[in-house]
Amino acid sequence: MKTIPNRVYLTEDELPKQYYNIAADMPTRPKPYLNPVTKEPVQPDDLAPLFAKELIAQEVSTERYIDIPKQVREIYAKFRPSPLIRAYGLEKALDTPAKIYYKYEGNNPSGSHKLNSAIPQAFYNKAEGVRRLTTETGAGQWGSALSIAAQMFGLECTVYMVRVSYEQKPYRRTLMQTYGANVIASPSTLTNAGRAILEKDPDSLGSLGIAISEAVEDAVMRDDTHYALGSVLNHVILHQTIIGLEAKKQFEKIDEYPDIVIGCNGGGSNFSGCAFPFLHDKLKNGAKTEFVAVEPAACPKLTKGKFAYDYGDTAKMAPIAMMYTLGHDFVPAGIHAGGLRYHGDSALLSQLYHDGYVSAAAVRQTDVFKAAVLFARSEIILPAPESAHAIAYAIQKALECRETGEAKTIFFNLSGHGDFDLAAYEEYLAGRLQDFEYTDEMLEKCFSTLPEID
Ligand SMILES: *Cc1c(COP(=O)(O)O)cnc(C)c1O
């Protein structure tokens, strides 16, 4: 039997020089974004107050491969390629014949895959003469990534941080401040969007939807400021394909190919970034690989949401997108996987799920932490609670293999580390974590706010 190393590396020379754009290969492309006021298709100019022109071009591009600028590749080289790791420890703990691999994206100072998109976003904004970026952050990983990227390119950065995370994760806040960012708990009194929420609910825990509204409003009000989004949009997913492109080369080196590709799903960027380069092979060559996006049972947009046009944010300022959604007023329970609490999903991923190329699963918080602890004990890396959703599902699959005796090759993306999530681990270890699920009645109420589109 051939031996497969614990970790598969690439040299700097083997770093991908282009991103992969799945829009080129989709049988059905997503419907266009709509202007939230006129409900007419968004024109590239409508987005110009928010995003750099080059990013808007990527958003609507149908070119299959898009060059990664040299300056971006040079910064990537400080922490990429990320290793592809064979989970020998986890396989042993599960006593499974399955071969489990994961790509580890927590090996950079932001602690997650989000830096992969923060760097090109800061680069294109700087190139266009923008001075300041605003954004929202849920669990803090995106805010950390953008703070770092903004600092590298000499941009100012203001981060609206969902209040529940601001309180649960003070060290994330400090990390962002250390990299020079101005961090504000959302909902805040600084914006109309924030004030409106606080009037209705002074104790609001906040949500990504609300924080997005605040960051967008801030950016629109100032000429020198653009907005940056850490997930959901096509250009973000494009940047994240660096994960899957590297992984394909790494699998080639060991002469393997995954039977199943798994990722956790918040706004779809780490799952899609990891999966789409492999999905290319399914779309073009009929590869049989299975793709599973894993979400929290407490925020079940793919498994229980509607495929409909909906607002990207609570205050209805962001474009309306055709996507799987729980309704823009949906405020998920304060689960510890803050990065998975978004009400909607990527339009690309939503369309591919709708068309049956990708499947989805929902897992409960207590099962997620059980999986996270088993993973930490068998693989040493402490996973982010978000990433542990992918682990929990990979474990389910590996246990199925134990039943059937199949030696499937299971591949998941370990999107980040959990070093800042110890309060959540503490709750779990003390037996205090709860599971949340939504009844159909509760969800119907959220769906009632979906916009009417002719
Ligand atoms: C933000 C985040 C996620 C969820 O966002 P996606 O866009 O769905 O990837 C998952 N894992 C980690 C570690 C994150 O920081």
Side-chain angles (χ1 to χ4, degrees), residues 222-287:
R222 284 179 56 165
D223 280 346
D224 64 347
T225 302
H226 270 168
Y227 165 71
L229 191 62
S231 182
V232 182
L233 296 178
N234 303 347
H235 67 264
V236 180
I237 283 168
L238 177 81
H239 304 152
Q240 294 297 352
T241 59
I242 185 101
I243 302 172
L245 290 164
E246 282 179 11
K248 271 179 88 167
K249 290 194 183 186
Q250 288 163 312
F251 273 112
E252 253 167 51
K253 284 205 167 179
I254 53 171
D255 205 14
E256 294 261 348
Y257 195 90
D259 295 308
I260 174 162
V261 179
I262 300 166
C264 64
N265 173 33
S269 79
N270 91 88
F271 169 78
S272 304
C274 182
F276 285 1
F278 292 93
L279 189 52
H280 164 271
D281 298 347
K282 184 169 182 159
L283 294 171
K284 300 301 279 182
N285 318 323

Side-chain angles (χ1 to χ4, degrees), residues 4-302:
I4 291 172
N6 221 291
R7 287 175 168 232
V8 187
Y9 287 100
L10 298 173
T11 64
E12 232 175 275
D13 275 354
E14 292 171 306
L15 251 179
K17 294 190 173 55
Q18 294 180 309
Y19 299 118
Y20 168 61
N21 180 13
I22 201 160
D25 294 317
M26 286 170 76
T28 313
R29 293 207 181 110
K31 291 206 176 139
Y33 298 133
L34 304 182
N35 181 301
V37 180
T38 64
K39 299 190 179 160
E40 294 297 321
V42 167
Q43 301 304 320
D45 277 356
D46 298 346
L47 297 173
L50 292 178
F51 301 108
K53 291 199 180 53
E54 209 47 56
L55 294 169
I56 298 170
Q58 292 180 355
E59 190 64 26
V60 296
S61 170
T62 54
E63 289 290 314
R64 182 169 293 115
Y65 293 103
I66 294 178
D67 288 345
I68 306 175
K70 185 157 173 286
Q71 257 181 287
V72 171
R73 280 191 279 124
E74 280 168 5
I75 298 178
Y76 276 165
K78 293 181 195 292
F79 62 93
R80 303 204 69 82
S82 69
L84 177 73
I85 304 176
R86 172 81 182 263
Y88 282 117
L90 183 62
E91 288 172 20
K92 190 161 166 232
L94 297 172
D95 189 24
T96 175
K99 290 178 273 185
I100 308 175
Y101 292 89
Y102 57 96
K103 185 85 167 146
Y104 183 42
E105 291 294 318
N107 249 343
N108 69 67
S110 83
S112 81
H113 66 288
K114 298 236 170 52
L115 196 54
N116 299 332
S117 183
I119 290 166
Q121 290 195 50
F123 168 81
Y124 288 118
N125 276 293
K126 177 72 181 186
E128 197 175 294
V130 167
R131 278 195 47 247
R132 177 173 174 268
L133 292 174
T134 64
T135 196
E136 73 293 328
T137 196
Q141 286 99 323
W142 169 244
S144 305
L146 195 69
S147 306
I148 292 169
Q151 188 56 236
M152 283 182 194
F153 288 99
L155 297 166
E156 277 179 48
C157 182
T158 292
V159 182
Y160 291 87
M161 185 173 190
V162 177
R163 183 173 298 275
V164 62
S165 300
Y166 189 88
E167 282 158 14
Q168 278 174 355
K169 303 175 93 179
Y171 295 130
R172 272 280 169 202
R173 190 201 316 159
T174 305
L175 185 74
M176 291 184 262
Q177 289 164 336
T178 303
Y179 284 109
N182 177 22
V183 186
I184 293 157
S186 165
S188 79
T189 55
L190 300 184
T191 64
N192 290 327
R195 285 187 294 267
I197 297 286
L198 289 174
E199 247 164 56
K200 276 194 278 180
D201 178 9
D203 300 322
S204 170
L205 292 175
S207 71
L208 270 181
I210 297 169
I212 291 172
S213 303
E214 292 209 274
V216 168
E217 185 182 326
D218 180 326
V220 169
M221 301 306 271
R222 284 179 56 165
D223 280 346
D224 64 347
T225 302
H226 270 168
Y227 165 71
L229 191 62
S231 182
V232 182
L233 296 178
N234 303 347
H235 67 264
V236 180
I237 283 168
L238 177 81
H239 304 152
Q240 294 297 352
T241 59
I242 185 101
I243 302 172
L245 290 164
E246 282 179 11
K248 271 179 88 167
K249 290 194 183 186
Q250 288 163 312
F251 273 112
E252 253 167 51
K253 284 205 167 179
I254 53 171
D255 205 14
E256 294 261 348
Y257 195 90
D259 295 308
I260 174 162
V261 179
I262 300 166
C264 64
N265 173 33
S269 79
N270 91 88
F271 169 78
S272 304
C274 182
F276 285 1
F278 292 93
L279 189 52
H280 164 271
D281 298 347
K282 184 169 182 159
L283 294 171
K284 300 301 279 182
N285 318 323
K288 292 275 180 290
T289 317
E290 207 184 318
F291 297 89
V292 188
V294 187
E295 60 193 15
C299 194
K301 59 290 217 45
L302 289 181

Side-chain angles (χ1 to χ4, degrees), residues 330-372:
F330 179 82
V331 178
I335 54 164
H336 285 282
L340 306 184
R341 294 176 78 239
Y342 184 57
H343 69 272
D345 216 324
S346 143
L348 292 168
L349 174 57
S350 292
Q351 188 67 50
L352 288 160
Y353 175 66
H354 188 69
D355 293 341
Y357 295 102
V358 168
S359 54
V363 289
R364 288 178 312 182
Q365 176 162 255
T366 50
D367 293 331
V368 165
F369 275 87
K370 188 173 167 209

